[in-house]
Amino acid sequence: MELTYRPRRLRRTASLRSIVRENILTPSDFIYPLFIHEGNDIQPIGAMPGINRWDLESLITEVQRAWELGIRCVVLFPKISESLKTEDGVECFNEKGLIPTAIRCLKQEIPEMTIMTDVALDPYSSDGHDGIVSPEGVVLNDETIVNLCKQSLVQAQAGADLIGPSDMMDGRVGAIREVLDDEGFEHVGIISYTAKYSSAYYGPFREALDSAPRALSAKPIPKNKNTYQMDPANSREALIEAQLDEQEGADILMVKPGLAYMDIIHRLRQESDLPIAAYNVSGEYSMVKAAAERAWIDEKSVVLETLLSFKRAGADLILTYHACDAAQWLIDM
Ligand code: PBG
């Protein structure tokens, strides 16, 4: 055949392929999520093989390991004991609580590691919601933000580098920015969960933290988070959230979950010049693990392909439970 264009020319050898490669994955693209608890042991999470709840001592070892693999940011999630959970989640701004304590430990032991936090009430809420639930069963916006601001400040005071509001209350980024600035933490950044969808992919995470919505009293507790997390049917709405977060002072925008929302990552990349993060969430991790355990897929290839596809879609950063495995595979390549 007389073909002018033969795209296969550039695929012929490994070195040709490498010189025209458009995207690469490196360990510093990853943000490694870690679950911590108050005990003195390492607790495996049933629905997330390979992922544990760490106590403070083992947390330090694990973060050190991540650092040596080239990972430069971790995000901490707390499993709070039942006795500390309340309707208003005030434990979230206890300066001697689990998260501030862990941040201080890590900053002392591995000072260069970037520490990102999660800001929301759900781990601390006896109702299992990201905000305060009124007696009528409404998740209250402005009242919740008062506590989220206190939570953010306590985290910044402990040494957090990036504050990550995951609660989806309206106006929280601006309110947190103002409090941080007023208190002398203008250098602390905000990585906003900008487009966070009301997703079934968070199931294993809620097991890890025991944080699912639940009704313990007669109060009518919403069974899902549909009144604050976004409707999976919507994409234009993500642009509105992104504009608001930019105006309110977010430093990084996040899309969550990742895989089923690649179009949203791509759209935000086109609409914004801020760094974009994608959250490869717990359910996405567990599905890969389950199939790999049965030898139905090759775990390493599937994970690296998936993580690379987030970069291709436009993400600069990827929150992923595969972070350490993937970093090791990249080193070995
Ligand atoms: C809660 C929060 C959730 C996740 C991160 N922060 C769950 C939820 O909104 O119910 C999910 C992360 C994952 O599934 O890996 N504020």
Side-chain angles (χ1 to χ4, degrees), residues 140-182:
L140 300 170
N141 195 86
D142 302 13
E143 293 82 346
T144 296
I145 288 182
V146 174
N147 286 359
L148 299 180
C149 286
K150 293 183 187 172
Q151 181 180 21
S152 304
L153 182 58
V154 161
Q155 294 172 347
Q157 286 165 338
D161 301 285
L162 290 172
I163 305 295
S166 69
D167 54 285
M168 291 302 278
M169 298 301 120
D170 293 333
R172 90 279 206 210
V173 170
I176 292 170
R177 186 69 273 158
E178 197 180 321
V179 168
L180 293 177
D181 291 350
D182 286 350

Side-chain angles (χ1 to χ4, degrees), residues 33 35 48 77 118-123 128 130 166-167 193 196-197 199 201-206 209 211-213 225 228-229 256 279-283 321:
F35 300 114
M48 301 180 74
F77 294 101
D118 189 72
V119 169
L121 300 188
D122 51 327
D130 294 29
S166 69
D167 54 285
Y193 288 65
K196 177 172 179 181
Y197 286 87
S199 169
Y201 284 97
Y202 308 147
F205 175 98
R206 292 180 190 170
L209 296 190
S211 62
K225 301 188 176 181
Y228 47 105
Q229 298 181 349
K256 175 181 178 191
Y279 201 142
N280 177 218
V281 298
S282 57
Y321 303 95

Side-chain angles (χ1 to χ4, degrees), residues 27-140:
S28 60
D29 296 329
F30 304 147
I31 297 178
Y32 181 28
L34 290 152
F35 300 114
I36 58 178
H37 74 123
E38 267 151 9
N40 288 308
D41 58 344
I42 300 174
Q43 299 177 341
I45 294 157
M48 301 180 74
I51 299 297
N52 302 302
R53 288 187 204 114
W54 307 97
D55 60 8
L56 284 186
E57 208 182 305
S58 58
L59 173 73
I60 293 166
T61 316
E62 181 65 0
V63 173
Q64 190 73 51
R65 181 172 83 98
W67 178 267
E68 278 152 23
L69 288 166
I71 293 164
R72 293 293 175 260
C73 183
V74 295
V75 51
L76 304 177
F77 294 101
K79 160 98 163 59
I80 299 298
S81 61
E82 283 303 318
S83 60
L84 295 175
K85 295 187 184 186
T86 55
E87 287 180 89
D88 52 7
V90 289
E91 176 62 15
C92 77
F93 56 83
N94 174 1
E95 59 188 23
K96 298 207 174 74
L98 184 55
I99 287 288
T101 306
I103 297 171
R104 285 196 177 90
C105 273
L106 287 176
K107 276 293 164 193
Q108 195 169 339
E109 301 292 328
I110 312 151
E112 301 95 325
M113 181 64 97
T114 299
I115 301 195
M116 168 182 168
T117 59
D118 189 72
V119 169
L121 300 188
D122 51 327
Y124 310 91
S125 153
S126 49
D127 299 329
H129 274 285
D130 294 29
I132 300 169
V133 186
S134 77
E136 297 75 33
V138 175
V139 177
L140 300 170

